[in-house]
mmCIF file of all heavy atoms in Angstrom:
data_model
loop_
_atom_site.group_PDB
_atom_site.id
_atom_site.type_symbol
_atom_site.label_atom_id
_atom_site.label_comp_id
_atom_site.label_asym_id
_atom_site.label_seq_id
_atom_site.Cartn_x
_atom_site.Cartn_y
_atom_site.Cartn_z
ATOM 1 N N TYR A 534 11.240 -11.644 -75.892
ATOM 2 C CA TYR A 534 10.908 -10.222 -75.619
ATOM 3 C C TYR A 534 9.539 -10.153 -75.030
ATOM 4 O O TYR A 534 8.569 -10.778 -75.496
ATOM 5 C CB TYR A 534 10.940 -9.398 -76.908
ATOM 6 C CG TYR A 534 10.277 -8.046 -76.735
ATOM 7 C CD1 TYR A 534 10.782 -7.064 -75.866
ATOM 8 C CD2 TYR A 534 9.049 -7.764 -77.425
ATOM 9 C CE1 TYR A 534 10.183 -5.822 -75.739
ATOM 10 C CE2 TYR A 534 8.396 -6.579 -77.225
ATOM 11 C CZ TYR A 534 8.980 -5.602 -76.382
ATOM 12 O OH TYR A 534 8.318 -4.402 -76.204
ATOM 13 N N ASP A 543 10.191 -2.858 -70.667
ATOM 14 C CA ASP A 543 10.469 -3.766 -71.753
ATOM 15 C C ASP A 543 11.651 -4.659 -71.388
ATOM 16 O O ASP A 543 12.590 -4.144 -70.787
ATOM 17 C CB ASP A 543 10.772 -2.970 -73.049
ATOM 18 C CG ASP A 543 9.554 -2.284 -73.646
ATOM 19 O OD1 ASP A 543 8.737 -2.973 -74.263
ATOM 20 O OD2 ASP A 543 9.473 -1.040 -73.503
ATOM 21 N N ILE A 580 11.089 -3.720 -80.303
ATOM 22 C CA ILE A 580 10.155 -3.621 -79.183
ATOM 23 C C ILE A 580 8.929 -2.850 -79.529
ATOM 24 O O ILE A 580 8.846 -2.158 -80.549
ATOM 25 C CB ILE A 580 10.808 -2.946 -77.941
ATOM 26 C CG1 ILE A 580 11.108 -1.489 -78.191
ATOM 27 C CG2 ILE A 580 12.157 -3.723 -77.672
ATOM 28 C CD1 ILE A 580 11.572 -0.735 -76.985
ATOM 29 N N LEU A 581 7.856 -3.006 -78.759
ATOM 30 C CA LEU A 581 6.616 -2.314 -78.976
ATOM 31 C C LEU A 581 6.760 -0.834 -78.634
ATOM 32 O O LEU A 581 7.250 -0.453 -77.553
ATOM 33 C CB LEU A 581 5.549 -2.947 -78.108
ATOM 34 C CG LEU A 581 4.122 -2.375 -78.257
ATOM 35 C CD1 LEU A 581 3.565 -2.687 -79.637
ATOM 36 C CD2 LEU A 581 3.215 -3.000 -77.190
ATOM 37 N N HIS A 582 6.375 0.048 -79.576
ATOM 38 C CA HIS A 582 6.425 1.473 -79.359
ATOM 39 C C HIS A 582 5.504 1.884 -78.171
ATOM 40 O O HIS A 582 4.341 1.311 -78.112
ATOM 41 C CB HIS A 582 6.009 2.242 -80.642
ATOM 42 C CG HIS A 582 6.374 3.682 -80.607
ATOM 43 N ND1 HIS A 582 5.629 4.616 -79.848
ATOM 44 C CD2 HIS A 582 7.329 4.411 -81.185
ATOM 45 C CE1 HIS A 582 6.193 5.798 -79.971
ATOM 46 N NE2 HIS A 582 7.258 5.675 -80.787
ATOM 47 N N PRO A 583 5.989 2.742 -77.283
ATOM 48 C CA PRO A 583 5.133 3.092 -76.120
ATOM 49 C C PRO A 583 3.778 3.646 -76.508
ATOM 50 O O PRO A 583 2.823 3.395 -75.807
ATOM 51 C CB PRO A 583 5.996 4.164 -75.498
ATOM 52 C CG PRO A 583 7.411 3.873 -75.843
ATOM 53 C CD PRO A 583 7.306 3.344 -77.237
ATOM 54 N N SER A 584 3.678 4.302 -77.628
ATOM 55 C CA SER A 584 2.358 4.850 -78.047
ATOM 56 C C SER A 584 1.422 3.710 -78.441
ATOM 57 O O SER A 584 0.203 3.761 -78.176
ATOM 58 C CB SER A 584 2.537 5.772 -79.244
ATOM 59 O OG SER A 584 3.325 6.904 -78.852
ATOM 60 N N LYS A 585 1.978 2.661 -79.024
ATOM 61 C CA LYS A 585 1.095 1.499 -79.349
ATOM 62 C C LYS A 585 0.745 0.759 -78.109
ATOM 63 O O LYS A 585 -0.407 0.273 -77.957
ATOM 64 C CB LYS A 585 1.863 0.556 -80.272
ATOM 65 C CG LYS A 585 2.093 1.118 -81.696
ATOM 66 C CD LYS A 585 2.778 0.115 -82.546
ATOM 67 C CE LYS A 585 3.044 0.637 -83.990
ATOM 68 N NZ LYS A 585 3.656 -0.355 -84.855
ATOM 69 N N ALA A 586 1.656 0.621 -77.145
ATOM 70 C CA ALA A 586 1.347 -0.005 -75.910
ATOM 71 C C ALA A 586 0.230 0.734 -75.147
ATOM 72 O O ALA A 586 -0.694 0.110 -74.589
ATOM 73 C CB ALA A 586 2.581 -0.094 -75.004
ATOM 74 N N PHE A 587 0.281 2.062 -75.171
ATOM 75 C CA PHE A 587 -0.766 2.882 -74.528
ATOM 76 C C PHE A 587 -2.087 2.653 -75.175
ATOM 77 O O PHE A 587 -3.138 2.519 -74.538
ATOM 78 C CB PHE A 587 -0.345 4.356 -74.579
ATOM 79 C CG PHE A 587 -1.327 5.269 -73.880
ATOM 80 C CD1 PHE A 587 -1.285 5.455 -72.547
ATOM 81 C CD2 PHE A 587 -2.307 5.957 -74.625
ATOM 82 C CE1 PHE A 587 -2.195 6.303 -71.872
ATOM 83 C CE2 PHE A 587 -3.175 6.829 -74.017
ATOM 84 C CZ PHE A 587 -3.135 6.978 -72.612
ATOM 85 N N ALA A 588 -2.094 2.603 -76.517
ATOM 86 C CA ALA A 588 -3.311 2.412 -77.231
ATOM 87 C C ALA A 588 -3.980 1.029 -76.933
ATOM 88 O O ALA A 588 -5.171 0.872 -76.753
ATOM 89 C CB ALA A 588 -3.064 2.518 -78.744
ATOM 90 N N PRO A 596 -1.386 3.927 -83.263
ATOM 91 C CA PRO A 596 -0.852 4.848 -84.217
ATOM 92 C C PRO A 596 0.006 4.146 -85.292
ATOM 93 O O PRO A 596 0.628 3.114 -84.962
ATOM 94 C CB PRO A 596 -0.018 5.781 -83.388
ATOM 95 C CG PRO A 596 0.353 5.015 -82.171
ATOM 96 C CD PRO A 596 -0.794 4.149 -81.946
ATOM 97 N N ILE A 598 3.062 3.972 -86.490
ATOM 98 C CA ILE A 598 4.394 4.440 -86.173
ATOM 99 C C ILE A 598 5.321 3.225 -86.094
ATOM 100 O O ILE A 598 4.892 2.159 -85.641
ATOM 101 C CB ILE A 598 4.415 5.263 -84.866
ATOM 102 C CG1 ILE A 598 5.785 5.860 -84.614
ATOM 103 C CG2 ILE A 598 3.980 4.368 -83.727
ATOM 104 C CD1 ILE A 598 5.720 6.869 -83.420
ATOM 105 N N LYS A 599 6.560 3.412 -86.480
ATOM 106 C CA LYS A 599 7.550 2.290 -86.445
ATOM 107 C C LYS A 599 7.935 1.944 -85.004
ATOM 108 O O LYS A 599 8.091 2.832 -84.150
ATOM 109 C CB LYS A 599 8.773 2.611 -87.249
ATOM 110 C CG LYS A 599 8.557 2.717 -88.760
ATOM 111 C CD LYS A 599 9.857 2.928 -89.492
ATOM 112 C CE LYS A 599 9.635 2.921 -91.009
ATOM 113 N NZ LYS A 599 10.953 3.173 -91.753
ATOM 114 N N ASP A 600 8.077 0.659 -84.754
ATOM 115 C CA ASP A 600 8.549 0.212 -83.471
ATOM 116 C C ASP A 600 10.067 0.364 -83.369
ATOM 117 O O ASP A 600 10.779 0.191 -84.346
ATOM 118 C CB ASP A 600 8.200 -1.311 -83.236
ATOM 119 C CG ASP A 600 6.715 -1.515 -83.104
ATOM 120 O OD1 ASP A 600 6.058 -0.695 -82.471
ATOM 121 O OD2 ASP A 600 6.181 -2.569 -83.589
ATOM 122 N N PRO A 601 10.566 0.745 -82.180
ATOM 123 C CA PRO A 601 12.002 0.895 -82.034
ATOM 124 C C PRO A 601 12.783 -0.347 -82.199
ATOM 125 O O PRO A 601 12.316 -1.462 -81.815
ATOM 126 C CB PRO A 601 12.100 1.423 -80.553
ATOM 127 C CG PRO A 601 10.783 1.968 -80.236
ATOM 128 C CD PRO A 601 9.807 1.088 -80.974
#
Side-chain angles (χ1 to χ4, degrees):
Y534 165 68
D543 287 285
I580 69 171
L581 183 66
H582 194 283
S584 296
K585 292 183 179 179
F587 182 81
I598 187 171
K599 290 184 178 180
D600 290 323

